[in-house]
Amino acid sequence: GRGVSSARGAPRGKGISARELRTLKRGDLLVHEDKGIGKFMGFDTIEVRGAKQEVVRLTYLDNDILYVNLDYIAKLSRYSAAEVAEDSVKLSKLGSAEWQRTKEKTKRRLKDIARSLITIYAKRKKQEGFIFSKDDIIQREMEAAFLYEDTPDQAKATEDRKRYMETGAPMDRLLCGDVGYGKTEVAMRAAMKATLDKKQVAVLVPTTILAEQHERSFKDRL
């Protein structure tokens, strides 16, 4: 069977970009939001109602073909599942309800996870943590010794974390930022604040090299 997926002016901002599409190899797996898992087989030009359209060609189970108009590629995304090898992935069957059932099952699972997280965080809020002391002169001197001027985001992140430490709530904060934006300095200031209240600090990182880099940074800074 063959199918054409097309929608002029479809919303952008999600899914795969045209630039990413150009980097795909034939046989790479793509997921169509409504049709399921298929294989990318390149680009084609087809005629629909007398007008030529450039489309992405996908193959599905039983060699069924789906053409996706380039105006509608927001529906497409790369297949990714770290625990599953691509060559073992089962392609979806066009025209069947299997993909919709899979999506509904996933949505229910996500709702279960969300409910579980809400319960965990509600329990966390009821627990009492350690109330750290207000900044003292050593803390202020340590921060003042920073060789660079804080960026506004860096200063705000530092204050947010220190004030959180003083509330007595169990600590649960996530700091995100690109490489070189000063996340380690924020962590070191929080570590100093904890140490001044006679608490030990552990720094967990994913690689030995990064552990060595942090060790040097902490030694140099403190």
Side-chain angles (χ1 to χ4, degrees), residues 5-22 33 43 53-56 68-77:
S5 176
S6 149
R8 290 286 174 185
R12 296 299 180 101
K14 65 174 184 176
I16 200 166
S17 68
R19 179 178 294 180
E20 288 177 300
L21 271 178
R22 302 292 177 182
E33 184 178 323
F43 299 92
Q53 298 182 9
E54 189 176 4
V55 295
V56 178
V68 181
N69 188 290
L70 291 186
D71 288 338
Y72 206 36
I73 60 172
K75 288 275 187 179
L76 300 177
S77 58

Side-chain angles (χ1 to χ4, degrees), residues 130 132-133 136 191-201:
F130 183 83
F132 287 91
S133 304
D136 62 12
M192 171 62 85
K193 188 174 182 67
T195 303
L196 289 172
D197 265 341
K198 300 180 174 60
K199 296 294 182 182
Q200 286 186 317
V201 176

Side-chain angles (χ1 to χ4, degrees), residues 86-99:
E86 278 202 5
D87 57 5
S88 67
V89 175
K90 180 184 176 184
L91 299 182
S92 300
K93 173 65 178 172
L94 290 180
S96 76
E98 182 183 358
W99 178 247

